[in-house]
Amino acid sequence: MGKFKLDEIDHQILDMLIDNTRIPFTDIAKKLVISAGTVHVRVKKMEEAGIIQGSSLTLDYKKLGYSFIAYVGVFLNNTSQTKFVLERINEIPFVTVAHITTGKFNIFCKVRAKNTSHAKDIIFMLDDIEGIYRTETMISLEESINDKKRLMHSIFNEL
């Protein structure tokens, strides 16, 4: 399949959906002065093209008691253990993101915890995984930028 072409209406639809994935198509249609059927068809086409892949829910982790964020760099004994280690990391629900990386670390993880004591327990869980010989942790003091729209608009400007 070739590169899917988005027009300005598609951009505006995506912009509204990024702000609120639960916005009714009728509300989008009213704001864009098009029919709800048009919104539905365009969203369906973007789903079929793989541009839209489901929708997500944003939680306020602070309100749920998980305000502590740490980033953990994982060093492996051997890179051939990457898949095995990632499968074990995936069993720890407090590790919310894991990337295979180049450079200093083999794997880089984002951890959400209740507090420093809880984070320590999670880091010890990581350290106990066979194949991990060491970890290095950085504590997040504040998430200053978390903006999906800036990248989206940059991509739109390239199209």
Side-chain angles (χ1 to χ4, degrees):
M1 178 178 213
K3 191 173 178 182
F4 187 84
K5 292 287 185 190
L6 299 172
D7 64 15
E8 186 57 33
I9 298 292
D10 295 324
H11 295 183
Q12 291 174 333
I13 290 169
L14 286 171
D15 200 29
M16 286 185 232
L17 289 171
I18 284 172
D19 279 339
N20 177 6
T21 58
R22 298 180 62 178
I23 187 171
F25 289 174
T26 53
D27 290 0
I28 294 172
K30 286 177 190 170
K31 289 178 183 176
L32 299 180
V33 194
I34 59 176
S35 74
T38 299
V39 174
H40 177 78
V41 167
R42 284 173 174 260
V43 168
K44 190 76 174 158
K45 283 183 181 176
M46 288 186 277
E47 287 173 341
E48 289 169 357
I51 292 168
I52 296 175
Q53 297 180 348
S55 61
S56 64
L57 184 66
T58 303
L59 298 175
D60 186 334
Y61 286 101
K62 286 181 185 176
K63 290 181 180 173
L64 296 170
Y66 285 80
S67 59
F68 189 93
I69 298 173
Y71 293 91
V72 182
V74 176
F75 296 87
L76 301 179
N77 290 319
N78 191 314
T79 55
S80 65
Q81 298 170 302
T82 303
K83 184 178 181 209
F84 172 82
V85 170
L86 282 170
E87 288 169 354
R88 300 296 85 70
I89 290 172
N90 194 45
E91 294 170 3
I92 303 171
F94 310 105
V95 178
T96 58
V97 178
H99 294 271
I100 298 171
T101 59
T102 62
K104 187 175 182 179
F105 309 111
N106 299 102
I107 300 170
F108 198 70
C109 301
K110 180 178 182 178
V111 171
R112 281 211 176 260
K114 295 176 183 178
N115 50 44
T116 54
S117 177
H118 186 221
K120 178 188 74 163
D121 294 341
I122 298 163
I123 293 163
F124 285 178
M125 284 183 223
L126 287 166
D127 283 335
D128 286 342
I129 295 173
E130 184 183 332
I132 293 178
Y133 80 88
R134 176 169 104 77
T135 60
E136 188 174 305
T137 303
M138 290 146 276
I139 296 170
S140 172
L141 300 176
E142 173 185 283
E143 186 173 77
S144 303
I145 299 172
N146 185 351
D147 183 0
K148 299 173 192 170
K149 289 175 76 170
R150 290 182 317 128
L151 175 59
M152 182 191 72
H153 289 293
S154 178
I155 292 168
F156 289 166
N157 290 334
E158 291 175 5
L159 299 176

